Amino acid sequence: MKVKRYIVTPDKHFPLHDQKAINVLCKAIEIVKPDGYIDLGDVGEWFGCSHWQWKKKKRPPLEIQMPRIDQDVIDVNKGMDQIDESLDKANVKEKYMIEGNHDDWMNRFYEENEHKVFQVYKFKNAVKLKERGYKYMPIGRYLQIGKLNFYHGHHYAGIQHTRNHLLRLGSNVMYGHHHDVQQSSVTHIDGTKSAWSIGCLKDMSLEKNDWLGGRSINWGHAFSIVDFYHSGLFTVHVVQIINGKTSLWGELITG
């Protein structure tokens, strides 16, 4: 029986991504040649339309905001181009984009200003998902393949968020959002279920962490390889990237 293989990637937050980690991912795609690709969202930071930047401040006129938002669109598309180039080389046709909470900021920006801006500022249009060949999953939606569910990961938090997901959902699930690498299993009456948080691909250096006040983080760079086989059963291989390097199938990949 042929295995159907997917590469699954977490938060990149272009242009605040870690370029070495992205390079490792792209090389891995070309080595693995998966049948499909799943992006768990927060593909962009989208700072230009973030409501956080105007906290305790008066939001400026739209013409002041637009140059930064337009630059975000350019930067995120450049980041996606890197990954899509490797997916094209590997002849990957089945691609999914699961919208993250940062990505949804673009939708909110459009909704607040729809009488003044074009629909190109909706997230799915800004990153050209249709042209790129991605199937679009709006924020909050779950993508189910076999016996595993995928979504961005923003519903259930806490230190043990993988366990919280299992207790609330009762199903196998994989997500990003929390930026750390974590896995839990719980046995239900119908068998064991597991949840995976697969880290991020965002820059984790201290000078980039002003948004966290410079405090320590437990984030990790990673992506996953998921193989589906008989009756929707699957195996998960979480590939961690340490200092821009990883080992995959006995081969050292350097970013």
Side-chain angles (χ1 to χ4, degrees):
M1 175 175 291
K2 185 180 184 299
V3 166
K4 189 167 186 180
R5 178 166 290 155
Y6 291 81
I7 281 185
V8 187
T9 65
D11 310 40
K12 296 153 205 71
H13 292 267
F14 292 119
L16 301 183
H17 60 290
D18 185 286
Q19 188 58 53
K20 289 183 179 180
I22 295 296
N23 291 344
V24 168
L25 168 65
C26 290
K27 291 179 180 180
I29 289 171
E30 295 174 32
I31 292 170
V32 174
K33 294 181 172 57
D35 299 289
Y37 173 76
I38 301 170
D39 193 310
L40 295 178
D42 278 4
V43 66
E45 177 69 16
W46 304 114
F47 181 77
C49 60
S50 168
H51 58 285
W52 294 108
Q53 65 176 312
W54 309 120
K55 188 177 182 180
K56 299 181 181 180
K57 298 179 183 178
K58 182 179 179 180
R59 186 183 292 268
L62 192 61
E63 58 267 24
I64 302 298
Q65 301 176 56
M66 289 309 299
R68 178 60 190 268
I69 293 173
D70 286 337
Q71 187 61 51
D72 283 346
V73 172
I74 292 170
D75 291 339
V76 176
N77 276 282
K78 283 182 178 179
M80 290 189 64
D81 286 346
Q82 297 182 65
I83 297 172
D84 277 343
E85 182 178 350
S86 290
L87 291 171
D88 288 343
K89 288 180 180 178
N91 197 33
V92 178
K93 303 298 184 185
E94 184 180 349
K95 301 191 290 185
Y96 298 91
M97 175 64 72
I98 300 173
E99 192 170 68
N101 58 300
H102 278 249
D103 304 321
D104 189 47
W105 290 352
M106 283 292 279
N107 297 328
R108 296 183 186 186
F109 167 77
Y110 169 75
E111 290 167 3
E112 291 171 2
N113 300 281
E114 59 182 319
H115 59 297
K116 298 179 181 178
V117 300
F118 297 111
Q119 288 195 15
V120 69
Y121 291 102
K122 287 184 177 179
F123 168 69
K124 66 178 182 179
N125 298 330
V127 295
K128 307 173 184 176
L129 292 184
K130 184 176 181 180
E131 295 89 331
R132 292 178 183 275
Y134 283 79
K135 295 179 182 179
Y136 167 63
M137 305 293 294
I139 189 167
R141 289 275 301 278
Y142 291 84
L143 168 67
Q144 182 176 4
I145 299 177
K147 295 185 177 182
L148 179 58
N149 298 281
F150 303 88
Y151 93 117
H152 178 60
H154 50 287
H155 284 169
Y156 311 113
I159 296 175
Q160 295 294 329
H161 48 83
T162 48
R163 184 173 178 83
N164 290 342
H165 274 79
L166 286 175
L167 295 177
R168 296 293 294 273
L169 298 177
S171 298
N172 298 307
V173 64
M174 179 176 290
Y175 57 88
H177 183 66
H178 297 271
H179 294 190
D180 61 349
V181 178
Q182 188 179 121
Q183 189 265 332
S184 293
S185 296
V186 172
T187 300
H188 295 268
I189 195 169
D190 59 342
T192 301
K193 308 293 193 306
S194 295
W196 291 265
S197 169
I198 62 168
C200 70
L201 295 167
K202 188 174 184 178
D203 193 319
M204 299 188 299
S205 59
L206 287 176
E207 64 269 24
K208 298 291 185 179
N209 285 343
D210 292 341
W211 61 91
L212 292 177
R215 68 177 182 267
S216 297
I217 55 176
N218 65 336
W219 297 355
H221 290 150
F223 62 92
S224 70
I225 301 171
V226 183
D227 287 348
F228 290 92
Y229 48 100
H230 180 67
S231 300
L233 298 176
F234 62 92
T235 57
V236 172
H237 178 197
V238 177
V239 183
Q240 291 188 260
I241 303 169
I242 310 297
N243 295 330
K245 297 181 178 66
T246 197
S247 173
L248 179 63
W249 296 352
E251 181 174 344
L252 179 65
I253 304 177
T254 301

